[in-house]
Amino acid sequence: MTSPEPAESRPQTRTQNRTQGRTAQTATLAEIAREAGVSAPTVSKVLNGRADVAPSTRARVEDLLRAHGYRRRRAEATRSPLIDLVFHELESAWAMEVIRGVENVARDAGLSVVLSESAGRLTPGRTWADQVAARRPHGVVLVLSGLDASQRALLTSRSIPFVVMDPAGDPGADVPSIGATNWQGGLAATRHLVELGHRRIGAITGPSQMMCSRARIDGYRAALETAGLPVDPTLIVDGDFHHEAGYRRGLELLRRPDRPTAVFAGNDLQALGLYEAARELGLRIPEDLSVVGFDDLPVAPLVGPPLTTVRQPLTEMAEAAAKLVLDLGREEGTPAATRVELATSLVVRSSTGAPVAGS
């Protein structure tokens, strides 16, 4: 009599595969439909983002698609001539530079751009993900935003590639992303002020939950420490990358009896708010206060005085993100580089100068 095979050497049964999760090759729509207790056309409706599916049924099918690692073959995924561009917030000149970059690439590829805003949330709402599934774009570019696990699974199962530009947090090793050298930019901005002779240098940060903001302020700290200057936490105030924060937090810094002689404003919009605060208090730029921004928006050389700032290549970053998402959607395979940082550079203009003697 032949002795039984050890359990680990026996072929896996269908039940075991279900428990452990199957690959796209072993899980079919028919099997998922059978397991969900629905018809194959219903599963197809869920995949295509159709609205005529009950929420409970949709959730059950999505759970099974995710559990089985189902991924629609690209040949099956008829795409619309679109790129979805999703913003954390869509209300500034910063956003216009990004839109310009994505549209440059989309135009060359014969595609259009669909704009969405997550209203300040770091991930879009669930309704957005269903709408994207229904649109079936060539890809999705998310700006200062991200996706939760269920949204990533939904796009992956539809073979809709996505790229995060300037990610708010760590996007994960498997998420394609385009960023900039924010730490180096913060270092260069602050080092410039130190080299001019400033010793009390304030900073207005961006949102603490955003990786780019943390990197810029870390660069600021590194420049002070390298120069042997103390990092005074009372000179670092929280902002949100908006003009109003630059104005309001700027007033706080500049009303101090021991006010800073220079401020790294975190971005250009906050720098412009700081300009307004300085004018209100009768301070001259750069004679009484040196200011450095970050981004180099088109308005930076036009204000009075023209703003010294760190150039973040926003249009080029957006072009790189759009090109990457289109490359990911092609059949040839994954591009060699899916995590890219573009260089920042200091642009010196008239808003910075040496501090007045004795200040």
Side-chain angles (χ1 to χ4, degrees), residues 169-189:
D170 182 1
D174 59 337
V175 175
S177 64
I178 303 291
T181 54
N182 288 288
W183 182 89
Q184 185 63 42
L187 179 79

Side-chain angles (χ1 to χ4, degrees), residues 19 26 29 35 40 79 86 89 92 112 121 128 130 142 186 191 214 242 285 311 318 348 352:
T19 301
T26 59
L29 288 186
E35 199 166 333
R79 297 189 178 97
V86 186
E89 291 178 333
S92 71
S112 299
R121 297 187 302 269
W128 168 84
D130 291 335
L142 299 114
R191 180 178 288 163
R214 296 197 301 270
H242 291 102
I285 298 173
R311 182 176 185 272
V348 178
T352 50

Side-chain angles (χ1 to χ4, degrees), residues 11-351:
Q12 288 184 312
T13 64
R14 185 175 297 274
T15 302
Q16 288 171 319
N17 274 338
R18 281 191 185 130
T19 301
Q20 296 171 2
R22 294 196 213 122
T23 66
Q25 286 71 37
T26 59
T28 67
L29 288 186
E31 289 175 308
I32 290 170
R34 196 159 47 243
E35 199 166 333
V38 299
S39 66
T42 297
V43 176
S44 180
K45 287 181 180 180
V46 173
L47 276 171
N48 292 321
R50 291 271 297 276
D52 53 340
V53 179
S56 59
T57 300
R58 181 186 301 279
R60 188 163 69 252
V61 171
E62 290 285 6
D63 286 344
L64 287 168
L65 289 169
R66 185 162 54 250
H68 288 303
Y70 177 84
R71 190 184 188 100
R72 170 180 270 178
R73 290 194 301 273
R74 287 172 182 164
E76 295 175 341
T78 304
R79 297 189 178 97
S80 300
L82 303 170
I83 294 176
D84 262 69
L85 177 56
V86 186
F87 281 92
H88 167 255
E89 291 178 333
L90 182 58
E91 57 175 35
S92 71
W94 189 95
M96 294 307 299
E97 295 300 296
V98 175
I99 293 169
R100 181 176 294 112
V102 174
E103 285 192 330
N104 288 345
V105 174
R107 188 186 314 111
D108 291 344
L111 305 175
S112 299
V113 178
V114 176
L115 294 179
S116 304
E117 183 190 40
S118 58
R121 297 187 302 269
L122 294 184
T123 57
R126 171 67 201 207
T127 304
W128 168 84
D130 291 335
Q131 291 170 347
V132 171
R135 281 195 292 270
R136 290 174 300 199
H138 275 61
V140 176
V141 175
L142 299 114
V143 184
L144 282 174
S145 212
L147 299 173
D148 62 31
S150 65
Q151 292 167 336
R152 287 175 58 180
L154 185 148
L155 295 186
T156 299
S157 68
R158 276 71 168 178
S159 288
I160 299 174
F162 56 90
V163 171
V164 180
M165 176 185 154
D166 217 358
D170 182 1
D174 59 337
V175 175
S177 64
I178 303 291
T181 54
N182 288 288
W183 182 89
Q184 185 63 42
L187 179 79
T190 311
R191 180 178 288 163
H192 169 65
L193 294 171
V194 170
E195 289 174 348
L196 287 171
H198 293 277
R199 296 297 177 262
R200 290 188 57 75
I201 302 172
I204 305 175
T205 73
S208 61
Q209 72 271 29
M210 289 187 179
M211 191 163 62
C212 63
S213 172
R214 296 197 301 270
R216 291 173 196 177
I217 205 65
D218 284 347
Y220 157 89
R221 290 190 179 98
L224 293 178
E225 290 168 354
T226 301
L229 298 175
V231 177
D232 183 349
T234 68
L235 291 180
I236 303 172
V237 295
D238 295 335
D240 59 10
F241 283 159
H242 291 102
H243 179 280
E244 176 62 24
Y247 168 72
R248 180 170 37 84
R249 303 300 265 162
L251 284 175
E252 292 178 25
L253 285 173
L254 300 181
R255 281 174 172 158
R256 295 172 54 125
D258 57 347
R259 65 172 179 81
T261 61
V263 175
F264 171 42
N267 77 338
D268 287 355
L269 292 179
Q270 290 184 157
L272 298 182
L274 182 60
Y275 269 41
E276 185 179 345
R279 282 195 299 269
E280 185 172 310
L281 297 177
L283 298 175
R284 300 164 300 161
I285 298 173
E287 292 85 355
D288 302 315
L289 176 71
S290 286
V291 179
V292 182
F294 199 111
D295 285 333
D296 197 23
L297 297 177
V299 69
L302 305 179
V303 295
L307 177 65
T308 294
T309 187
V310 176
R311 182 176 185 272
Q312 181 173 211
L314 293 171
T315 301
E316 293 92 332
M317 289 165 64
E319 289 174 344
K323 288 175 183 175
L324 178 56
V325 85
L326 294 182
D327 287 345
L328 290 168
R330 297 190 178 105
E331 297 288 351
E332 294 87 79
T334 304
T338 57
R339 300 197 73 176
V340 178
E341 281 196 342
L342 275 64
T344 55
S345 57
L346 181 68
V347 181
V348 178
R349 298 193 179 100
S350 305
S351 69

